[in-house]
Amino acid sequence: MSGTGRRGGGLLVAGTTSDAGKSVVTAGICRWLVRRGVKVAPFKAQNMSLNSFVTREGAEIGRAQAMQAQAARVEPTALMNPVLLKPGSDRSSQVVLLGKPVGEMSARGYHGGRQEQLLGVVTDCLEQLRATYDAVICEGAGSPAEINLRRTDIVNMGIARAARFPVVVVGDIDRGGVFASFFGTTALLSREDQSLIAGYLVNKFRGDVSLLEPGMEMLRSMTGRATYGVLPFRHGLGIDEEDGLRVSLRGAVRESVVAPPVGEDVLRVAVCAVPLMSNFTDVDALAAEPGVVVRFVDRPEELSDADLVVVPGTRGTVKALEWLRERGLAAALARRAAEGRPVLGICGGFQALGERIEDEVESRAGVVAGLGLLPVRVRFAREKTLARPAGTALGEPVDGYEIHHGVAEVLGGEPFLDGCRVGSVWGTHWHGSLESDGFRRAFLREVAAAAGRRFVPAPDTSFSSLREEQLELLADLVEEHADTDALLRLIESGAPADLPFLPPGAP
């Protein structure tokens, strides 16, 4: 697309709301462009998420950007997500800049000046990507019409204005009110911002598209902007989510392939929905196995029929311990361990299963008793461990990634992925280990044996292949249901020059 010495083109995918589908639409556009032979990179200037990933150079970025890089068939780097905010409470977050943590900051402090100071950093990262790639597909955050935050915005219209990128606004029609959301989003922007809003993209539509056509024509007559496509709703995409799982989703089953179990029994996995849960995508590889049912729980009675209980990662290990105790889950986990029933702790969950935690960094709670199910003592260090380990476990090769402040001293048990195992209780700091197919199958065989289930892992499930199939499906949706010629013109040439202004606009 771009000639020698010319900066690559680009597009910003914004949304009427959070969860409108910006992440998956960005991934779908990236894969569609790759299939056309375009060298493309994803970009999100600022991401707020507890689902993160470690790049090969040891930088922490949002998992959604790592997934989008996979869609673009490129190696993820810190340039693709220069600012990552990891919430530690309702009012403060850890700020990760260019892949490294630089401190905690309140929302007021961040939006009160720090965010605006970072605009130069994020535009520099974007320019580096544009110098290397034919196109950069940017993802916005929340809505560009959050007028209370516009002055310091660096991820929506702030970055679009800086790069002069056209903007396509995605709306989730499954929620209703999509036409009002498109119109209102545009009309609340300033004249300068509106000049970059090229049009709209309807997401998650169920039904006959012809029923939408009158509305899209009326929207065009009122806004002077086209709707670039209507993407249908698809079950089971399973693409990495950006935001933390809401407690209201307790009991929700992670969607995956629909296939019968290979053995006589299914295997039931209960994931404790701890506060500030991070990288809950670790269990997606379990849900991808035919015959494995994964659900998120927050009550002790919901552990009774589980064959495996997972205590996942968390941004607040001490807070998670308090929550487990308050809800009676700690006692239920202790009973499981005593009965030899399987429990797996990952990262913060592993730390919670240990004997004690010394924390003067994350919670500043000092010495706190753990659940005592593993012979491990944890001390929180100010320096964050960011690593891509690889090794062998249960006779199978396995790799993963580490993101934690807690340093574990393992005092006994059998070695297990730099953690340990005692009976049917396992603990490790490694995220992503279950994506290693041979290891996952070996682990599930151990779980089934300990649980007394006649479950047999499918011999040919490939998690990476399933992920590729999902990315290809996203590209198919874009190719078949969006005006790709018009999208390509936007990426190459920018927003149309004659877009009308919608009053009232922002001051």
Side-chain angles (χ1 to χ4, degrees):
M1 289 174 61
S2 62
T4 303
R6 180 187 161 207
R7 292 186 304 170
L11 176 73
L12 175 71
V13 178
T16 56
T17 61
S18 295
D19 300 324
K22 299 182 293 290
S23 295
V24 294
V25 168
T26 299
I29 292 174
C30 284
R31 179 55 63 95
W32 159 67
L33 287 170
V34 166
R35 296 200 310 205
R36 291 181 60 99
V38 177
K39 187 179 178 184
V40 60
F43 179 78
K44 184 161 186 172
Q46 172 199 293
N47 197 344
M48 178 174 279
S49 179
L50 288 172
N51 276 345
S52 58
F53 181 77
V54 179
T55 67
R56 293 203 182 279
E57 74 265 32
E60 184 179 9
I61 65 171
R63 266 200 73 107
Q65 279 60 66
M67 174 271 292
Q68 291 161 357
Q70 183 179 350
R73 296 200 175 110
V74 296
E75 191 67 32
T77 74
L79 293 176
M80 297 172 184
N81 179 206
V83 181
L84 173 63
L85 305 178
K86 303 193 72 175
S89 71
D90 290 340
R91 296 191 174 187
S92 69
S93 295
Q94 183 181 67
V95 180
V96 179
L97 181 61
L98 295 174
K100 303 297 180 184
V102 294
E104 297 279 334
M105 187 167 289
S106 69
R108 179 174 291 276
Y110 185 69
H111 290 287
R114 176 62 168 162
Q115 185 180 37
E116 197 171 14
Q117 295 168 8
L118 293 173
L119 181 59
V121 175
V122 301
T123 54
D124 180 63
C125 290
L126 178 56
E127 288 305 304
Q128 289 185 59
L129 292 174
R130 294 182 72 183
T132 307
Y133 293 91
D134 297 331
V136 180
I137 307 302
C138 305
E139 178 189 344
S143 163
E146 290 164 350
I147 53 178
N148 56 314
L149 302 177
R150 176 61 185 93
R151 182 181 62 81
T152 58
D153 169 52
I154 63 171
V155 64
N156 289 306
M157 301 314 299
I159 196 69
R161 285 266 292 272
R164 302 306 301 168
F165 274 1
V167 179
V168 171
V169 181
V170 176
D172 178 0
I173 197 169
D174 207 40
R175 298 181 175 201
V178 73
F179 292 121
S181 297
F182 285 147
F183 186 92
T185 296
T186 308
L188 280 176
L189 299 176
S190 69
R191 185 179 298 273
E192 293 80 3
D193 286 350
Q194 285 192 30
S195 71
L196 296 174
I197 302 293
Y200 314 108
L201 191 65
V202 176
N203 193 30
K204 303 181 189 178
F205 180 69
R206 310 171 193 243
D208 184 349
V209 176
S210 66
L211 297 175
L212 276 188
E213 288 173 355
M216 291 189 289
E217 283 302 314
M218 292 173 67
L219 184 67
R220 180 163 195 153
S221 67
M222 291 186 293
T223 67
R225 291 161 172 85
T227 298
Y228 286 91
V230 179
L231 305 184
F233 185 92
R234 286 289 183 268
H235 281 287
L237 282 174
I239 297 297
D240 292 348
E241 298 176 61
E242 176 179 288
D243 301 313
L245 193 73
R246 290 170 173 78
V247 175
S248 62
L249 288 181
R250 181 188 62 80
V253 177
R254 297 289 286 176
E255 288 189 281
S256 62
V257 293
V258 179
V262 175
E264 297 179 48
D265 289 342
V266 298
L267 210 60
R268 295 174 176 84
V269 180
V271 184
C272 296
V274 297
L276 298 173
M277 180 163 42
S278 61
N279 287 68
F280 58 81
T281 48
D282 281 335
V283 300
D284 284 357
L286 295 178
E289 284 286 347
V292 175
V293 179
V294 177
R295 64 189 181 192
F296 292 87
V297 305
D298 62 2
R299 297 173 183 164
E301 56 268 25
E302 293 175 302
L303 304 190
S304 60
D305 67 343
D307 302 306
L308 169 67
V309 174
V310 177
V311 187
T314 171
R315 175 84 164 84
T317 303
V318 170
K319 184 179 290 188
L321 270 170
E322 293 172 355
W323 182 87
L324 290 168
R325 289 184 168 118
E326 287 170 359
R327 290 181 172 258
L329 288 160
L333 289 168
R335 287 193 297 272
R336 286 187 67 89
E339 294 166 1
R341 302 176 67 198
V343 176
L344 170 65
I346 302 174
C347 200
F350 165 45
Q351 296 166 8
L353 296 180
E355 296 174 354
R356 76 173 194 184
I357 294 169
E358 183 182 340
D359 181 11
E360 299 292 350
V361 176
E362 191 174 77
S363 69
R364 298 189 177 97
V367 177
V368 177
L371 299 184
L373 304 185
L374 290 174
V376 175
R377 294 179 181 177
V378 176
R379 178 184 56 80
F380 273 68
R382 297 199 178 278
E383 187 75 17
K384 181 184 280 192
T385 297
L386 298 169
R388 292 277 294 267
T392 302
L394 305 179
E396 297 286 346
V398 57
D399 55 32
Y401 55 99
E402 294 185 63
I403 306 169
H404 53 92
H405 283 279
V407 178
E409 181 186 6
V410 179
L411 303 172
E414 301 174 44
F416 176 74
L417 301 180
D418 290 343
C420 66
R421 170 188 182 179
V422 174
S424 291
V425 180
W426 292 266
T428 177
H429 271 135
W430 293 22
H431 293 290
S433 62
L434 294 167
E435 296 179 18
S436 297
D437 298 324
F439 166 73
R440 182 180 64 254
R441 287 191 277 270
F443 176 71
L444 290 175
R445 283 192 289 269
E446 294 250 353
V447 168
R453 295 289 186 190
R454 291 170 294 181
F455 169 84
V456 178
D460 55 355
T461 301
S462 166
F463 186 76
S464 61
S465 295
L466 288 171
R467 177 54 51 87
E468 277 296 305
E469 289 173 14
Q470 292 164 340
L471 294 172
E472 287 294 318
L473 174 57
L474 286 178
D476 290 342
L477 293 177
V478 170
E479 194 164 316
E480 295 168 16
H481 300 280
D483 186 344
T484 52
D485 289 341
L487 286 176
L488 203 57
R489 285 195 297 272
L490 286 179
I491 294 167
E492 291 179 330
S493 304
D498 56 350
L499 294 171
F501 171 68
L502 271 63

